Amino acid sequence: MAEQAEQRDHAAAERGDPDAMIRLAVLAGQRGDAAEAERWYRRAASDGHSEAMLHLGGLLEERGESAEAERWIRRSADAGNVNAVGAIGYLRETHGDLEGAHEWYRAAADRGDSYSMVRLGLLLVRGGRPEEAREWLRKAVRRPGQLLVRADAMRQLAHLAVQGGDRAEAERLLREAVSMLVEADEPATQETVQVSNELLTLLGSLLRDRGESAEAEQVYGWAAEFGHTPAMIELGRLMEERGRPAAAEEWHRKGAEAGNLRSALLLAMLLMEQRRPAEAEPWLRRTAEAGVPPGMDFLGTLLEKRGEFAEAERWYREAAEARIDHAMLRLAHLVEKRGALTEALHWYERAAAAGQDMAMLKAGELEERRGDRDTADRWYERAAQAGNEFGMFHVARLRTDRGAHEDAEMWLRRGSAAGNANCMALLGILLAEQGDVAAGEQWCRRAMAAGVPNALTDMKAVLEAHRGPGL
């Protein structure tokens, strides 16, 4: 039957019937024969068929031939095809011409094109004009037909409602959109199922945020059962939050086996937390080899703990180059351990630039080892300013050595307040040297209680060295 219909279309197309040409082009596209589809679209477009012009432009754009694509789509728009007017807006948007996109979307929206209303709404949101965006999105929702476009408009309105603090309205919109798609008379398509799953996942997140965990689990589950991996991710995370690690592992594993790299990473992390590194390693390798920077970092950590330092360094380096801050610090540590101090300092400096206070401290230590106490002092102070108590101790130590006692005391008091026992001990010695032996002894006793057993003895030794025995 279908074969006979195709033969009739061939005969009609050869006689110059543009509608038959369109049907043949669509059929060729479904078969994956882009060249045949283009041949029929070109014939129909050349005969003035505006829909064929639009589809031909779409094929050319997919192939990267943007200039010719836009020429055909503009010809379709000039012939009165409102969908082509919106398509020009999309071309302008993808090429970075937001002003032009706004103009074309507005022209199509004014003529009733729901798709352009939604795209125009999104552009207005990006431009900081949410109220105008809501107006166009609501118009799209009210337009008959085009269920997927209407559902998308509801989703965007839900996002705006969340941003405006009206989560109840967002939830209402998402529920209405899901119901509209589920209850539609039209047969469900793959695209309909995909959009429904996305709406359900967003709805599940709203429910979880307001503490409705049981309903959130149910809503996520509907989408997850249809193979929606973002829902599997959220469902797995919800199970972790609810203290159900076995269920969390099940959903993370389903997502990972479906090829979702985030699911694979979450599964690996869960297995690591459960002290199952051998099971975690294949999933970490999958994410690392696929170029997921956190996967590289975690794989490096696993290998380092196992003593496989060379391969750990390799993965830390990959993650560090991808700007994972902790990986920079770990890489620097491994490089320092094998004696490559210049390279280690380079990575400590990069981690420090990313805000890692421990990297600032380690950079200071390396500079001090190289004999550059001034640069070390600057790194220690940066670490101290970032709240690192060890940085406070070391900057105070260097400043004590060069006689900047007031500055040293300030840092020692801050470090002591943070609970650093070494700061307490050095503060005690500094105060005793300045003549307040009672306060010095008090701080040294605190240091002893905090883990510096020789603090009081050290203080007395310093006083004796400066003032003589018995003082």
Side-chain angles (χ1 to χ4, degrees):
M1 196 76 171
E3 190 174 321
Q4 290 175 346
E6 185 178 350
Q7 288 174 353
R8 286 196 298 272
D9 280 336
H10 265 287
E14 292 297 349
R15 291 194 301 270
D17 183 345
D19 291 327
M21 296 176 195
I22 292 286
R23 289 193 292 273
L24 289 174
V26 170
L27 188 60
Q30 291 171 346
R31 291 171 175 164
D33 190 345
E36 180 70 1
E38 181 182 343
R39 185 172 76 84
W40 286 115
Y41 279 137
R42 279 193 183 276
R43 281 192 60 178
S46 298
D47 288 344
H49 196 290
S50 68
E51 199 65 26
M53 297 173 191
L54 176 59
H55 286 296
L56 176 58
L59 279 181
L60 293 166
E61 177 66 20
E62 286 178 12
R63 207 162 66 203
E65 298 177 27
S66 299
E68 187 183 0
E70 187 161 344
R71 283 198 298 273
W72 280 110
I73 295 172
R74 282 182 181 272
R75 284 183 62 180
S76 178
D78 292 341
N81 190 323
V82 68
N83 293 328
V85 176
I88 296 172
Y90 185 72
L91 282 180
R92 294 292 85 226
E93 183 180 358
T94 56
H95 295 155
D97 179 11
L98 300 188
E99 187 176 339
H102 184 283
E103 179 183 339
W104 284 98
Y105 284 145
R106 180 62 185 260
D110 283 338
R111 291 167 61 183
D113 182 47
S114 301
Y115 169 81
S116 294
M117 293 176 189
V118 175
R119 297 305 307 179
L120 178 58
L122 293 176
L123 276 188
L124 289 166
V125 169
R126 289 172 62 182
R129 296 153 67 182
E131 288 307 318
E132 291 179 66
R134 284 189 182 90
E135 290 179 19
W136 283 109
L137 291 169
R138 286 169 181 151
K139 285 182 180 179
V141 171
R142 291 193 295 268
R143 293 286 298 173
Q146 293 191 305
L147 289 180
L148 291 178
V149 175
R150 291 172 64 199
D152 189 31
M154 290 179 182
R155 174 171 54 181
Q156 302 306 331
L157 282 168
H159 281 302
L160 285 173
V162 170
Q163 291 169 13
D166 192 349
R167 301 177 78 83
E169 173 66 2
E171 186 177 323
R172 183 193 69 77
L173 284 161
L174 292 172
R175 287 184 187 277
E176 184 179 338
V178 171
S179 297
M180 179 182 71
L181 293 177
V182 170
E183 295 169 6
D185 293 333
E186 302 174 10
T189 64
Q190 186 175 357
E191 191 175 5
T192 304
V193 172
Q194 175 68 19
V195 172
S196 297
N197 288 339
E198 290 171 2
L199 292 166
L200 287 168
T201 304
L202 288 171
L203 177 58
S205 296
L206 284 179
L207 291 166
R208 182 176 66 187
D209 289 347
R210 69 177 174 89
E212 299 291 341
S213 298
E215 190 180 1
E217 180 180 346
Q218 183 182 48
V219 169
Y220 282 142
W222 291 333
E225 291 293 351
F226 275 102
H228 191 56
T229 52
M232 295 178 191
I233 290 169
E234 296 305 325
L235 188 52
R237 290 176 58 211
L238 179 62
M239 294 301 94
E240 289 189 63
E241 291 170 10
R242 300 185 73 187
R244 293 163 58 186
E249 181 180 337
E250 177 188 354
W251 284 111
H252 289 328
R253 191 176 295 279
K254 282 184 178 180
E257 289 172 349
N260 188 285
L261 293 173
R262 189 176 175 202
S263 291
L265 183 60
L266 288 169
L267 173 61
M269 291 170 66
L270 184 63
L271 294 169
M272 292 287 284
E273 288 173 8
Q274 296 176 352
R275 298 183 181 180
R276 296 157 65 187
E279 295 175 67
E281 185 175 347
W283 296 110
L284 286 177
R285 286 193 178 278
R286 181 176 296 190
T287 61
E289 288 164 3
V292 178
M296 302 169 185
D297 186 25
F298 285 117
L299 179 58
T301 301
L302 185 150
L303 293 165
E304 183 181 4
K305 287 179 179 176
R306 211 159 64 197
E308 298 179 25
F309 300 122
E311 191 181 359
E313 183 180 324
R314 172 202 160 194
W315 286 114
Y316 282 150
R317 192 178 300 281
E318 295 271 2
E321 293 290 2
R323 299 188 177 182
I324 298 294
D325 301 348
H326 290 293
M328 296 178 191
L329 185 58
R330 294 182 180 117
L331 173 61
H333 176 68
L334 283 187
V335 169
E336 181 184 359
K337 280 179 68 174
R338 64 176 172 80
L341 301 187
T342 300
E343 186 185 359
L345 182 59
H346 164 76
W347 285 110
Y348 281 135
E349 288 174 347
R350 283 192 59 177
Q356 293 281 308
D357 61 283
M358 188 56 70
M360 300 170 193
L361 178 72
K362 294 297 293 182
E365 290 178 358
L366 277 188
E367 291 290 9
E368 190 171 6
R369 284 170 61 185
R370 285 157 44 128
D372 189 345
R373 288 166 67 88
D374 289 339
T375 303
D377 180 276
R378 288 193 291 273
W379 278 116
Y380 289 146
E381 184 171 15
R382 282 186 61 182
Q385 293 284 9
N388 188 295
E389 62 190 67
F390 299 101
M392 296 173 192
F393 170 74
H394 285 296
V395 73
R397 174 178 57 79
L398 290 186
R399 296 194 183 175
T400 299
D401 289 348
R402 68 171 188 242
H405 294 148
E406 185 176 341
D407 203 25
E409 183 179 339
M410 181 270 291
W411 285 115
L412 290 171
R413 287 191 181 277
R414 285 180 61 176
S416 297
N420 186 280
N422 289 321
C423 284
M424 297 175 192
L426 188 54
L427 177 59
I429 293 172
L430 181 62
L431 292 173
E433 282 186 299
Q434 291 175 345
D436 194 345
V437 177
E441 183 175 338
Q442 184 180 28
W443 276 111
C444 285
R445 290 191 184 281
R446 289 185 188 178
M448 291 169 65
V452 182
N454 299 319
L456 194 56
T457 304
D458 290 344
M459 184 195 84
K460 290 178 178 177
V462 169
L463 287 180
E464 287 181 357
H466 287 183
R467 304 181 186 180
L471 293 177

